[in-house]
Structures are given as structure tokens and as C-alpha cells.
Amino acid sequence: MQAQHLAMDTLWEAESAAIRWLQGAGDPLSYPLALITHLGSQGVIVVLMATVFWCVDARLGARLLVAVIASGAVNGLFKSVSYTPRPYWFDARITGYSHHGSFGMPSGHSQAAMVAWGYLGIRAGRRALMWAAAVIIPLVGFSRIYLGAHFFSDVVVGLSVGALILWLMLRYEDRVLLWWRSLDTTRWVSYLLLITLVPCVLGAIWQFGVRGDWVLPATEWIGATPADPPGRSLAGLYTACGGLLGGVLGLTLLHRWGRYSAEGTITARVSRFALGISVVVLIVVLDEILFGDPTGPSGALFSFVVYAALAFWATYGAPRMFVTSGLAAKAQEAERVDRE
């Protein structure tokens, strides 16, 4: 364990020197990179998924949503067990242009960019989106390094994990979907609970059991380290797992109720997005006002519940509201109209 610890310190020292050299270009480059980095952020990707699912192609959007949230759960689990610093925590000479409270490895922005933009580019079948993905993914990775949010190794691991998840989705999603739809209610609910709760339990056992004696290595991490990296990392894991639970639950129930179509006039599509996202924003704002930034196990559990509700709204509540209000039609009805 000591040898591994020393090896990682040596690696981080070398990577820190490279990051300091990159940041020698000065603050001006940080401004466009700070914008680019958002293309891998949770907020931008949530808007991307909602736009595709509600307004462009419900089938593509549903699959994109599952891929991205599942990737987020994997990333959250890895962060919860990695206990690795961010560059500006490790080295006070590195400027942290982008601040985060969770552990560093793997890079969540890089992994999310690989899965979200890669999946959309490949499945949409449009060359422009493919080229956009090919540009966005490496730029997001580079931005994370330059902004001091991640080491090179964090980004490489994040891109690698994202590429693996993307490959698994593209290869096996149809087969898994057919199997999932063949399950009776008891089985798919049981499997869904296992898939989303087991990572949470593992993360908690690791934090409070295996690494329960962890303390901040103050003599080695000499930068601006936040107060509770383990707690923030666990909250990130619970957030993603809650989103996965609510999203898959909503999509499964939506399919059984009757798939909906994202086709329609421009006015209808814009109205769907405005109505749907307004509820998401309302829940997030109320959460911030009423509960602030909860920490510890109770905060992680609360994040699980809130994001499960948000994802369920996005995948089931909003589509049903769209159909009921006449802003969208069920897929079967839309297909019948097209044939006529």
C-alpha cells in the first residue's frame, strides 16, 4: 500500500509540473476553456438529453438518457473509492479555475462528454454531429487539465471508462432492452433496485468501513482542499444512482402506458421544453432554498430522492403531461397520422 501511495505521489508530481507549464499561458486561455468545459457538465448534458427526448426523437433521447446516467453512476462509484486529489488540492502552485468538492479520478466531465456526445453523434447518423463529437470530447478533456480540475491520468481514465460504456451501449442495448421488456413487474422492479442501490451500499461501506480512518494528507496535499471530499463524492454517487432509478422507472412505465412521439410543430416542441424544464428548475431551486447543500449520509440520501424524482418527472411525468395537454401524441397515434 505504501509503495502504491509513493508511486501515485510521483505520478502526480510529474503531472503537476506539466499542468503548471500549461497554465503558464496565462488567464486569457482559461476563459474560453471555462466555456468549453461546460459541454461535459451535468447542467448542459441534462439540457441536451431533455431537448432530444422531449423535442427531437423520444427513442434516441431515452437511450441517450440511460447511457449518460448509467455512466454517471459508474463515475460516482469510482470517485467514491478512488480518494485521489485534484491538481489544485495537491499543489498550491496550480490555479483551480474550476472548483469541485469530490475526489478527482476519473474525470466526470470527460467521461460524460465521451458518452453523451459520442452516443448522440453515432446514433443520430449525421456527419456534422460526428465531427462535433470528435472536436468536443478532446477539448473537454483538455479543458479539465488546463483549468486545474484534473490530472492527465484522471482524464485518460475518464475517457477510457466512457469509451467502454459507449461501446457496451452500442453493442448490447437492443438485446438488453428486449430482455428488460420481457420481465414481469416484480422482476424488473427488483433488478432496478439492485442496480441502483448496490453501488450506494458499496460506496457507503467503503467510506465508513474500509476507509473510515481516512484523514486529509495535509503534508502532501498542500493546495486548497475542500472540507469533506468523501462526503461530496458519496453524494455524487447517490445523485447519479437516484437519477438512474427514476429515469429507468419512468421510461419503463412510459413504454407500458404507451410510447410518446416527440414529433410536432416547432411551437409544440418549444412549449414542451419550456414546460418540462420549468418543473426541473423549480424543483432544483426549491431544493437549494429549503435544504441548501446537505452533507453526510443524510445529504446523500436526500440527493438520491430528489434526483430520482427529477428523472421520473423527465421520463414519465412530463411526457404524460405533453400527451394529455395535446402538445404531443402517443407514438402509435403519430405513426397512424403519418401513414394517412
Side-chain angles (χ1 to χ4, degrees):
M1 187 71 175
Q2 184 66 23
Q4 181 183 8
H5 180 72
L6 291 174
M8 292 306 297
D9 279 350
T10 302
L11 175 63
W12 292 330
E13 285 284 0
E15 294 189 65
S16 294
I19 294 171
R20 294 197 306 271
W21 178 82
L22 282 176
Q23 290 190 340
D27 291 343
L29 188 56
S30 70
Y31 301 125
L33 289 176
L35 295 175
I36 290 170
T37 206
H38 286 301
L39 294 174
S41 69
Q42 176 179 303
V44 169
I45 290 181
V46 164
V47 171
L48 174 68
M49 293 188 297
T51 301
V52 176
F53 183 57
W54 292 338
C55 309
V56 180
D57 185 329
R59 180 178 179 274
L60 175 61
R63 296 183 179 214
L64 174 66
L65 184 146
V66 172
V68 170
I69 301 182
S71 172
V74 172
N75 184 270
L77 181 59
F78 281 178
K79 281 186 185 296
S80 294
V81 302
S82 71
Y83 280 63
T84 56
R86 294 175 183 269
Y88 69 94
W89 302 0
F90 183 76
D91 189 336
R93 294 168 293 179
I94 293 176
T95 301
Y97 292 102
S98 179
H99 291 268
H100 302 276
S102 61
F103 289 119
M105 182 177 286
S107 167
H109 283 65
S110 302
Q111 184 176 326
M114 173 66 76
V115 174
W117 295 104
Y119 186 91
L120 187 60
I122 292 170
R123 283 301 190 210
R126 296 184 179 182
R127 183 169 296 183
L129 284 175
M130 287 287 290
W131 280 109
V135 172
I136 289 171
I137 293 168
L139 280 179
V140 169
F142 176 75
S143 73
R144 303 309 290 160
I145 296 168
Y146 188 90
L147 296 174
H150 286 289
F151 291 106
F152 291 84
S153 51
D154 299 342
V155 170
V156 170
V157 173
L159 291 174
S160 299
V161 173
L164 176 60
I165 292 171
L166 178 60
W167 178 80
L168 290 172
M169 282 294 299
L170 294 172
R171 183 173 178 83
Y172 295 109
E173 61 180 344
D174 289 330
R175 194 178 309 175
V176 171
L177 187 58
L178 287 173
W179 167 76
W180 186 262
R181 289 174 175 172
S182 71
L183 298 173
D184 59 50
T185 301
T186 301
R187 287 188 177 182
W188 71 257
V189 169
S190 299
Y191 290 148
L192 180 57
L193 290 174
L194 282 173
I195 291 168
T196 55
L197 295 181
V198 167
C200 295
V201 172
L202 292 176
I205 290 173
W206 183 264
Q207 180 175 139
F208 299 109
V210 178
R211 300 302 300 267
D213 59 348
W214 184 83
V215 293
L216 179 69
T219 59
E220 299 165 14
W221 298 7
I222 60 173
T225 307
D228 185 20
R232 294 297 182 90
S233 301
L234 192 67
L237 169 63
Y238 276 57
T239 295
C241 288
L244 185 61
L245 174 64
V248 174
L249 175 63
L251 291 173
T252 304
L253 294 178
L254 183 66
H255 180 265
R256 297 193 170 201
W257 173 71
R259 296 174 298 111
Y260 98 105
S261 171
E263 298 293 329
T265 64
I266 295 295
T267 301
R269 295 178 196 234
V270 172
S271 298
R272 290 199 297 261
F273 180 83
L275 288 172
I277 208 70
S278 64
V279 175
V280 172
V281 172
L282 177 62
I283 295 174
V284 171
V285 169
L286 288 176
D287 174 33
E288 290 290 332
I289 293 174
L290 296 177
F291 302 101
D293 186 17
T295 59
S298 60
L301 288 172
F302 186 77
S303 295
F304 183 96
V305 173
V306 169
Y307 281 86
L310 281 173
F312 185 76
W313 158 256
T315 55
Y316 185 74
R320 285 209 60 164
M321 182 189 72
F322 299 154
V323 173
T324 303
S325 64
L327 290 173
K330 287 189 176 182
Q332 297 89 335
E333 296 174 1
E335 291 167 1
R336 177 178 55 79
V337 171
D338 288 342
R339 287 195 300 269
E340 293 176 353

